[in-house]
Amino acid sequence: MEEENAIDLLQRYRRDRRVLLDFMLSGSLIKKVVMPPGAVTLDDVDLDQVSVDYVVNCAKKSVTLELSEAIRDYHDHTGLPQMSDTGSVGEFYLVTDPESSGSPPKRAPPPVPISAAPPVAVSTPPPAYPTSPIASSVSRSESFNSTQEKELTVDDIDDFEDDDNAAMVDSLRAKRTLNDASDLAVKLPSFSTGITDDDLRETAYEILLACAGATGGLIVPSKEKKKEKKSSLIRKLGRSKSGSVVSQSQNAPGLVGLLETMRVQLEISESMDIRTKQGLLNALAGKMGKRMDTLLIPLELLCCISRTEFSDKKAFIRWQKRQLKVLEEGLINHPVTGFGESVRKSNELRILLAKIEESEFLPSSAGEIQRAECLRSLREIAIPLAERPARGDLTGEICHWADGYHLNVRLYEKLLLSVFDMLDEGKLTEEVEEILELLKSTWRVLGITETIHHACYAWVLFRQYVITREQGILLHAIEQLNKTPLMEQRGQQERLHLKSLHSKVDGEREMSFLQSFLTPIQRWADKQLGDYHLHFSEGSANMEKIVAVAMITRRLLLEEPETTVQSLPISDRDQIEIYITSSIKNVFSRTLQVVERIDMSHEHPLALLAEELKKLLKKDSVTFMPVLSQRHPQATVVSASLVHKLYGHRLKPFLDGAEHLTEDVISVFPAAESLEQFIMALIISVSQEENAEILLKKLNLYQIETKSGTLVLRWVNSQLGRILGWVERVIQQEHWDPISPQQRHAGSIVEVYRIVEETVDQFFGLKVPMRFTELNSLLRGIDNALQVYGNLVVNDLASKEDLIPPVPVLTRYRKEAGIKAFVKKELFDARVPEPDETKPSEISVLTTPTLCVQLNTLYYAVSHLNKLEDNIWEQWTSKRSQEKLIKKSVDEKSKKDTFDGSRKVINAAMDRICEYTGTKIIFCDLRVPFMDNLYKSSVLGARVDVLIEPLDMELSQLCDIVVEPLRDRIVTSLLQASLDGLLRVILDGGPSRIFFPGDAKLLEEDLEVLKEFFISGGDGLPRGVVENQVARVRHVIKLHGYETRELIEDLRSASGLEMHGGKSKLGADSKTLLRILCHRSDSEASQFLKKQYKMPKSSA
């Protein structure tokens, strides 16, 4: 159905096209029609193949129409896009596929006239998207966010005769991406007459010509100039071979050349330029003593330019309508001095302006008469109104028709736009200084002051910077802002004048002149700086300039009375803080959104967020903070503190919910701690030491270490309980067999160290912040576990006293049955208690190999403590150095006594095993040959020689099993036990052992044999160690060599001396002397003991 409608519509269009062409060719619109070869009448011509554009051009130019050329023109342009102007915006119909045709046309086509009786205003709505290069190149004068209205007439074809080579202009224009500047629209109301930007631009040029004419610089160019084949616009825009723009003054030097440049810059056609100049010169004729810039220019042009000077009536109507709108705006809507109570005059003016416009639609004679009469009446009313004194001038000195606010600044803005290079909107034209000097001549007519000029020019430059982002333009804008006078720099009259300039836009409060122009700049700069992370992500060079713009506009606006009333003034420092706060919040929000969209299967969002924020602060400290710190010394502190606060809000719920060391906790805690430490370091780096401490106290610290420490302690305690349970279990299951001939320790200690090392590795593998308290708890737990292990190893050992037989009762030598001796109480206060009847055979005694394996195991435990300790401290130092919080004084002090408790317990256990092993061998394993038979009956009959072989066998067994570092230690214990056994035999050997003074030599020889056995020719114990041990036995043997009388005398003296802490002259104590006398086969000794100590007789 839709296809049928489309076909019907196409057929209707073709039929209408043929009817219209037939009407044009048959009527009087065409001067002469030449038929193509073979055709006699129009019926012989296929009108579908005739170019309508070609026919229209011939009709407009009143030239002969050759239909053969029209047909050729139709076929030549068949492949080109067709344009339609029937809608609100221009439309192109492409005959090619847009996707494969490349980019759209770079330049809009010229407007085509529409056929309607009255001029129709075609409104172009403001763009909904950023301004495109096409729109910018078409309407360079567009500004103030106003609505465009274009009256399209046939005269526009004349005005665009300079565009014959438009493609060349396109090729010369710089390829630049233009940006949207709608946010910079000045806060001024629109005109009630609907006057457009093009109307303002053309009127501004007329004012410029009048002001130039006041100095005699107005020269009307020859009309033959328009007939040159080469477009004058292309010639004006032509570039030299070096690529630079050809200065206009080279062709026409001085003011004339500058005006020609302005004509091109303002896009004024040559025909309009000639008409305006001629009209101004005619208006001044006959007005002796009158300056051209004191004329009421729109009225004079209306009177001096007739309909006949336009090639098309519609063009004249459009031109006249513009002049009437300007008069209404300048004299009625925005006058410098109002009408007061005389509303009648304003109504009369409006009626006259309406009648002048209506006259064009009356019959020619009546219309001319009405127009002339209305112009005469308009002059009578308008001239006195315009020449009224204002702003201190005299009557007639200045014509006040274009200097009413805000019409004047809108006109002046159009003139200021001419300073930009037409070929590159981001550059100023070469003649910018001359143009600005020329524009000063318009200040008198437009009522422009120095402050108004600098503010307008700064706004124009800044808006152009926003469009092009050219840094040079921005620098010029900053220069103009700096040149704008402050309140105290303005004269009294200018201050009063500026105070009177106010305007109000819907949705906005009433604004002064400076507020209208500078507020958009300030808001734009505030918006950019309020998210500088986004808008200046590529670098801070441009940001520094925008900060300067924001600060200058703030300073100027804070002087405005309305500003101080509306809001309290704040310092530059406070404003910078607002920028930082806003931008940090924005970038934090964006970062959070990005992080939340990432796959979180491997890392928690808070951990990723902390890492991203750390990167952000690193970039900030290098890129943005140097700029902001120039106006806020604590900018870095503000930025870092805010990041710390924002992240803290996100982190707090996670901290409150953390109960155990989960994967999320292990992921988030280190990242959060690292971020906080970086923030603190950043604050310290930019602050003095005393200030840094104050600033850090203001931070609400995350307390990661405290929270983490609690969780780590909970974990450590559970692990230590596991270790203790493991220790007890492996001891219970231990059989004390060596692992291998090379590894002669038990496997239980290896298992204990394995679980300890695993726990240590897990502890440092947590990667969460922790204090020394947590480490100390782990160390104390490990130390305790190793102490428990050492104690459990020796827990089953019998005591040394259980292995040694009871000491026999002291008796004197006789062949009678021994009876219990009653010894003087004062001598035997510390005597041995009653012998225990328990025999060694009844005690569970471990074998020598088992004792050796236990000894090796304990040695393994204590020797590996150093390695474990070093490993722990190395990892701890590395961890704390990474966190930059290591406290060496505490750590190093604690390092010295980390496992002192274990070392003491294990070494004590080793000493006990060594002592137990020696005692067991001598008093249990060698009891018969040593304790029972040595020196029995007589010394000569049972010497030490018989002990050497069994002793050597025991010693060999020890050395085969015990590890090398422990051999001297265990052999020394065996030596001590051997000497203890020897002393036991010669002092407490019982009634079966008797000695004579002559036996001392034999005893000395036996002692030497025993000594040399343990020295073993240098392969055994060191001689010095053995000598030290033997010395105590040698002294006792020496006493055996003294005569009985000497011993008795020495015993008597020793009894008295011991009461005062002394010894006898022989150097022996009374107990030793007594025991020697008890074993002396001597009647004198027996009598002494009987008489002195009531000692019973021996049974031997």
Side-chain angles (χ1 to χ4, degrees), residues 606-645:
L606 285 174
L608 286 175
L609 181 60
E611 293 171 5
E612 292 301 318
L613 291 177
K614 190 173 179 181
K615 294 177 185 176
L616 172 70
L617 288 175
K618 286 180 179 178
K619 181 179 179 182
D620 275 12
S621 61
V622 176
T623 305
F624 302 122
M625 291 304 112
V627 175
L628 298 175
S629 297
Q630 295 176 10
R631 290 177 169 82
H632 193 321
Q634 298 295 321
T636 302
V637 176
V638 174
S639 173
S641 300
L642 183 56
V643 170
H644 184 273
K645 180 180 179 181

Side-chain angles (χ1 to χ4, degrees), residues 454 457-459 461-462 465 471-484 541-550 552 555-556 631:
H454 288 303
Y457 191 28
W459 178 86
L461 289 168
F462 193 79
Y465 157 72
Q471 297 299 309
I473 298 292
L474 178 58
L475 292 175
H476 285 295
I478 295 174
E479 181 184 0
Q480 292 304 313
L481 287 171
N482 283 320
K483 287 182 178 179
T484 305
N542 194 33
M543 177 183 172
E544 187 172 0
K545 302 181 184 69
I546 300 300
V547 171
V549 169
I552 297 170
R555 183 181 60 186
L556 291 170
R631 290 177 169 82

Side-chain angles (χ1 to χ4, degrees), residues 613-797:
L613 291 177
K614 190 173 179 181
K615 294 177 185 176
L616 172 70
L617 288 175
K618 286 180 179 178
K619 181 179 179 182
D620 275 12
S621 61
V622 176
T623 305
F624 302 122
M625 291 304 112
V627 175
L628 298 175
S629 297
Q630 295 176 10
R631 290 177 169 82
H632 193 321
Q634 298 295 321
T636 302
V637 176
V638 174
S639 173
S641 300
L642 183 56
V643 170
H644 184 273
K645 180 180 179 181
L646 293 174
Y647 184 76
H649 290 162
R650 290 278 170 179
L651 181 65
K652 189 176 186 304
F654 181 84
L655 289 177
D656 295 340
E659 296 294 337
H660 302 283
L661 286 176
T662 62
E663 291 184 3
D664 287 344
V665 169
I666 294 174
S667 172
V668 173
F669 276 21
E673 178 71 5
S674 176
L675 174 63
E676 185 172 63
Q677 294 301 320
F678 180 79
I679 289 173
M680 294 171 68
L682 204 59
I683 293 175
I684 293 173
S685 66
V686 298
S687 307
Q688 297 179 354
E689 185 174 351
E690 57 274 11
N691 292 336
E693 186 175 352
I694 298 173
L695 292 171
L696 292 178
K697 287 181 179 179
K698 293 181 180 179
L699 290 179
N700 186 15
L701 297 179
Y702 303 149
Q703 301 296 333
I704 296 289
E705 269 198 350
T706 303
K707 182 67 176 180
S708 174
T710 303
L711 301 182
V712 171
L713 279 177
R714 192 175 298 166
W715 179 87
V716 166
N717 290 334
S718 67
Q719 295 299 308
L720 292 177
R722 190 167 67 94
I723 292 175
L724 280 176
W726 189 266
V727 167
E728 293 173 357
R729 186 162 58 253
V730 296
I731 286 292
Q732 291 173 2
Q733 298 174 356
E734 182 60 76
H735 299 292
W736 301 112
D737 295 324
I739 297 176
S740 68
Q742 291 74 30
Q743 296 177 310
R744 286 171 275 180
H745 51 270
S748 59
I749 190 61
V750 177
E751 289 298 313
V752 169
Y753 265 106
R754 182 182 62 80
I755 191 172
V756 167
E757 289 170 356
E758 284 180 0
T759 303
V760 170
D761 291 341
Q762 290 174 10
F763 177 81
F764 289 108
L766 295 176
K767 302 300 181 185
V768 295
M770 57 186 71
R771 301 158 297 180
F772 181 71
T773 305
E774 289 78 62
L775 177 67
N776 191 42
S777 177
L778 177 68
L779 295 175
R780 284 188 286 106
I782 295 174
D783 187 48
N784 180 61
L786 293 174
Q787 289 184 46
V788 169
Y789 182 86
N791 289 326
L792 288 175
V793 169
V794 297
N795 193 44
D796 294 336
L797 288 183

Side-chain angles (χ1 to χ4, degrees), residues 394-626:
L394 301 176
T395 303
E397 184 180 4
I398 298 177
C399 189
H400 299 289
W401 67 273
D403 52 350
Y405 184 73
H406 55 92
L407 175 65
N408 60 342
V409 295
R410 300 281 291 274
L411 291 168
Y412 193 61
E413 181 254 345
K414 301 305 172 191
L415 293 173
L416 288 172
L417 285 172
S418 63
V419 300
F420 300 113
D421 192 340
M422 292 188 69
L423 302 183
D424 188 351
E425 293 89 341
K427 297 289 190 299
L428 296 176
T429 184
E430 290 183 354
E431 298 85 355
V432 59
E433 297 297 334
E434 293 86 344
I435 290 175
L436 291 175
E437 192 64 32
L438 176 61
L439 295 186
K440 286 185 179 180
S441 64
T442 66
W443 288 14
R444 179 185 177 93
V445 175
L446 296 175
I448 303 299
T449 65
E450 184 180 5
T451 302
I452 294 176
H453 164 74
H454 288 303
C456 285
Y457 191 28
W459 178 86
V460 168
L461 289 168
F462 193 79
R463 179 180 178 275
Q464 196 71 7
Y465 157 72
V466 173
I467 293 173
T468 64
R469 297 303 167 100
E470 182 63 42
Q471 297 299 309
I473 298 292
L474 178 58
L475 292 175
H476 285 295
I478 295 174
E479 181 184 0
Q480 292 304 313
L481 287 171
N482 283 320
K483 287 182 178 179
T484 305
L486 297 172
M487 185 73 75
E488 68 273 6
Q489 296 171 339
R490 303 169 197 158
Q492 179 67 24
Q493 187 175 354
E494 186 179 19
R495 285 202 296 268
L496 294 174
H497 175 53
L498 291 174
K499 190 176 181 180
S500 65
L501 304 183
H502 288 86
S503 62
K504 192 173 189 309
V505 184
D506 293 341
E508 296 277 355
R509 58 184 173 83
E510 190 176 62
M511 291 188 176
S512 66
F513 162 75
L514 282 177
Q515 287 173 334
S516 296
F517 275 83
L518 298 184
T519 299
I521 297 178
Q522 186 194 34
R523 289 179 180 175
W524 189 92
D526 287 349
K527 182 179 179 181
Q528 298 285 307
L529 295 173
D531 198 356
Y532 55 79
H533 290 91
L534 175 65
H535 297 112
F536 303 100
S537 57
E538 296 180 358
S540 61
N542 194 33
M543 177 183 172
E544 187 172 0
K545 302 181 184 69
I546 300 300
V547 171
V549 169
M551 296 299 105
I552 297 170
T553 53
R554 273 192 70 259
R555 183 181 60 186
L556 291 170
L557 289 174
L558 284 175
E559 291 189 330
E560 295 298 296
E562 294 80 0
T563 304
T564 57
V565 171
Q566 294 293 330
S567 60
L568 293 175
I570 57 176
S571 64
D572 288 357
R573 177 176 177 143
D574 294 334
Q575 185 63 46
I576 294 296
E577 191 163 331
I578 291 174
Y579 293 151
I580 295 173
T581 302
S582 174
S583 188
I584 288 293
K585 288 181 178 179
N586 288 329
V587 73
F588 182 86
S589 178
R590 285 194 300 272
T591 305
L592 185 61
Q593 292 175 6
V594 171
V595 166
E596 289 176 345
R597 287 198 298 266
I598 298 176
D599 181 18
M600 300 307 167
S601 58
H602 301 293
E603 195 166 4
H604 195 277
L606 285 174
L608 286 175
L609 181 60
E611 293 171 5
E612 292 301 318
L613 291 177
K614 190 173 179 181
K615 294 177 185 176
L616 172 70
L617 288 175
K618 286 180 179 178
K619 181 179 179 182
D620 275 12
S621 61
V622 176
T623 305
F624 302 122
M625 291 304 112

